[in-house]
Amino acid sequence: MAQTPKVSFKEINKIAIPAIIAGIAEPLISLTDIAVIGNVEENSVEALAAAGIVGSFLSAIIWIVAQTKTAISAIVSQHLGANRVHAVKTLIPQAIVFNLILSLVIYATTAFFAESIFSAYNADGLILKYTEDYYTIRAIGYPLTLVTFAIFGIFRGLQNTLWAMKCSLAGAAVNIGLDYALVYGVEGFIEPLHLKGAAYASLAAQATMLVMAFYFFFKKTPFHLKLSFNINPQMKPLLLMAANLFVRTAALNFAIYLANAYATDYGKNYIAAQSILMNIWLFFSFFIDGYANAGNAIGGRLLGAKDYVRLWNLSKDICKYAVFIAFILMGICALFYNEIGLVFNKEATVLALFSSVFWLVLLMQPINAIAFMFDGIFKGLGEAKYLRNVLLVATFLGFTPTLLIADYFGLKLYAIWLGFLVWMLIRSSTLVIKFRRKYLKEA
C-alpha cells in the first residue's frame, strides 16, 4: 500500500497530547507555587514578587542548558527515521553525563552569588532576602532537572512522549500536595515554612520525576548508561547544535530578564502583577508547545527518511491545531477574565494592574502558536543556527527597542508586553518565510 502524503491526525496527537500534558506540568508547578505563596498571610506581595523573580531566573538557566534535550531529540529522531538508532547508543550516556556535569557547574557558580544575581533584578530589602532563601534551595534541583530533561529528549526522539507525561504528572502531584503542607504547615505535625516550603516541594517533585524517568529509560528504551570513553561521532554535532540553542535561549531569557528588571523597578505591585502575567504566558506557551514537540519529533524522523512532502503537510497541520488551541485558551480566559487574578493574589492594586494588561497577553496567543510550531519543527530539523539568529534579531532589534521607547513614554507594564508582541511577530514571520523558501521547494 502506498504511503499517504500526510502524517495522520492520530499519529500527531499520539505525540502531541502527552507532550501537552507533560509540558504544562512544569509551569503548573510554578503556578501552584505562585498561587500558594501569593495567598500567605505574612508579606504575600513580597513573597509573590520573590517567587516570580526566582522563577524567571530558574527558567532562564534551565531553558538555556536544557537545549541539550532538544539536540538529543533531533539526533535520535533523525537516526530513527534512517533506521540507524544503533549508531547513537554510546552517545546517550555521554550526553547524560555532560548534562550532569553542566548542572553541577551552574549550581556552584550561582548558588553562592544569589544576592548579587537578584540585586541585578532590582530586588532589595525583604524581597531580596526572600529571593536568596528561595533560590538557594531550588538551585539544588539543577542536576535532577537537567538529567531528567536529557532522558525526556531521548523519549521524544523515539517518538514517545507518554513516558515523560507520566513522570511530569507524578512530579506535579507531589509538588501540589507538598506545597500546601509545607508552606502553610500541618497543625501538630509540620511548622509553616512559608516561601522555603514551596522550594522544598519543588525539589521533591524534581526527584520524583528523575526516578520515574530512569525507570522508563531502563525498561522501555534500547539504550543503557554504560559509559564509553571513545567519543561518539554525533557528540560534536550535538554540542554544536546545543551551543547555538544556548545562545538562542540566552537571548530569549535576556528579554524575560529585562522585563522583570523593569517591572521590579516600577514597584512591588508591578513585579507581583508581572509575575502572574508571565507565569500565565509561560503556562500557555508550554500548553501550545505540545504540538511543537510533535513537530520536533516527527519532523526529525521525516528529515532522516527524506520525506519532504509529508514534512510540508505536517507543518500546515500542526499550525492549524496549535492556533485552534490558542483560541480556545483565549476564550476560556475571556470568560473568567476578572476571576483569574484572584487565584494568585487578593491585593486590589496588583489585581488592577494585572487586569489592565492581561488582554494584551491573550491577544498574542495565535501569533505565539505559529512561532512555537516552527520553533519545534526547526529544532527537529537541526536548524539551530537559524533559530539562534532569529532570536538575536527579535530580542535586540525588536523587543529591546520597543520596551525602551514605550518605557520612555511611561507605559510601564504595557511597555513590557508591547515589547513581547513585537518579539513574537518577528519570530513567527521569519520562521514561516524560511520554511516556505527551503522546504516547499524540496516537497
Side-chain angles (χ1 to χ4, degrees), residues 14-227:
K14 188 179 177 182
I15 295 175
I17 300 302
I20 288 170
I21 298 169
I24 64 175
E26 178 64 29
L28 185 63
I29 289 172
S30 295
L31 282 172
T32 304
D33 283 355
I34 294 274
V36 172
I37 293 161
N39 286 289
V40 293
E41 292 182 8
E42 183 185 352
N43 304 318
S44 65
V45 173
E46 287 83 358
L48 178 59
I53 294 168
V54 172
S56 293
F57 181 73
L58 281 166
S59 295
I61 295 293
I62 290 169
W63 285 353
I64 290 169
V65 296
Q67 295 310 310
T68 48
K69 174 180 79 171
T70 301
I72 291 167
S73 174
I75 288 172
V76 171
S77 64
Q78 288 171 26
H79 280 73
L80 183 70
N83 292 314
R84 297 191 69 250
V85 169
H86 63 274
V88 292
K89 281 196 172 181
T90 59
L91 174 71
I92 299 307
Q94 291 170 358
I96 290 173
V97 169
F98 175 80
N99 260 29
L100 177 61
I101 293 169
L102 186 61
S103 66
L104 294 173
V105 170
I106 292 164
Y107 173 77
T109 54
T110 60
F112 301 105
F113 300 101
E115 182 178 355
S116 300
I117 290 168
F118 297 114
S119 293
Y121 278 78
N122 295 321
D124 57 15
L126 188 57
I127 293 177
L128 181 58
K129 181 185 181 301
Y130 279 163
T131 57
E132 285 184 75
D133 291 345
Y134 187 53
Y135 180 73
T136 49
I137 298 168
R138 286 290 306 268
I140 299 168
Y142 280 133
L144 307 176
T145 299
L146 293 183
V147 172
T148 301
F149 277 9
I151 298 171
F152 283 4
I154 297 162
F155 296 165
R156 192 166 71 194
L158 293 172
Q159 316 291 286
N160 188 305
T161 52
L162 184 64
W163 303 329
M165 180 197 81
K166 291 178 178 178
C167 299
S168 298
L169 285 178
V174 168
N175 185 79
I176 291 168
L178 288 180
D179 249 344
Y180 285 92
L182 297 180
V183 173
Y184 300 134
V186 177
E187 193 171 351
F189 293 97
I190 302 171
E191 287 293 315
L193 295 175
H194 203 252
L195 197 57
K196 289 182 178 179
Y200 287 123
S202 296
L203 270 185
Q206 289 164 321
T208 301
M209 288 192 281
L210 178 61
V211 170
M212 288 188 66
F214 271 126
Y215 170 80
F216 288 114
F217 177 83
F218 288 118
K219 287 284 187 180
K220 304 289 188 180
T221 78
F223 302 118
H224 53 73
L225 285 183
K226 185 179 178 182
L227 194 62

Side-chain angles (χ1 to χ4, degrees), residues 273-274 276-285 288 326 329-330 333 337 353-369 413-414 416-418 420-421 424:
Q274 171 65 13
I276 300 170
L277 290 165
M278 179 55 70
N279 275 279
I280 291 174
W281 191 74
L282 292 174
F283 177 80
F284 283 178
S285 301
I288 296 169
L329 291 171
M330 289 171 67
C333 288
Y337 193 88
L353 289 168
F354 167 78
S355 296
S356 69
V357 183
F358 189 35
W359 66 270
L360 185 55
V361 176
L362 297 181
L363 192 67
M364 293 165 59
Q365 295 313 308
I367 301 165
N368 291 6
L413 287 184
Y414 272 108
I416 292 169
W417 289 98
L418 285 171
F420 279 126
L421 177 60
M424 295 308 299

Side-chain angles (χ1 to χ4, degrees), residues 178-336:
L178 288 180
D179 249 344
Y180 285 92
L182 297 180
V183 173
Y184 300 134
V186 177
E187 193 171 351
F189 293 97
I190 302 171
E191 287 293 315
L193 295 175
H194 203 252
L195 197 57
K196 289 182 178 179
Y200 287 123
S202 296
L203 270 185
Q206 289 164 321
T208 301
M209 288 192 281
L210 178 61
V211 170
M212 288 188 66
F214 271 126
Y215 170 80
F216 288 114
F217 177 83
F218 288 118
K219 287 284 187 180
K220 304 289 188 180
T221 78
F223 302 118
H224 53 73
L225 285 183
K226 185 179 178 182
L227 194 62
S228 170
F229 292 98
N230 293 320
I231 302 300
N232 188 284
Q234 289 298 317
M235 193 65 179
K236 184 178 178 182
L238 184 146
L239 293 179
L240 188 61
M241 196 187 311
N244 279 316
L245 292 171
F246 284 176
V247 175
R248 170 193 175 274
T249 314
L252 184 153
N253 284 295
F254 175 77
I256 295 175
Y257 155 73
L258 209 59
N260 281 288
Y262 270 73
T264 306
D265 201 40
Y266 297 147
K268 69 177 185 180
N269 291 322
Y270 284 89
I271 184 55
Q274 171 65 13
S275 296
I276 300 170
L277 290 165
M278 179 55 70
N279 275 279
I280 291 174
W281 191 74
L282 292 174
F283 177 80
F284 283 178
S285 301
F286 279 99
F287 200 105
I288 296 169
D289 208 38
Y291 280 99
N293 278 310
N296 179 300
I298 300 171
R301 192 191 78 214
L302 294 176
L303 180 67
K306 301 189 186 304
D307 191 346
Y308 297 109
V309 173
R310 299 180 91 208
L311 177 60
W312 172 253
N313 288 327
L314 174 74
S315 72
K316 293 190 294 183
D317 288 341
I318 62 171
C319 269
K320 290 175 191 173
Y321 305 150
V323 170
F324 179 69
I325 287 172
F327 277 114
I328 289 175
L329 291 171
M330 289 171 67
I332 293 169
C333 288
L335 282 174
F336 300 99

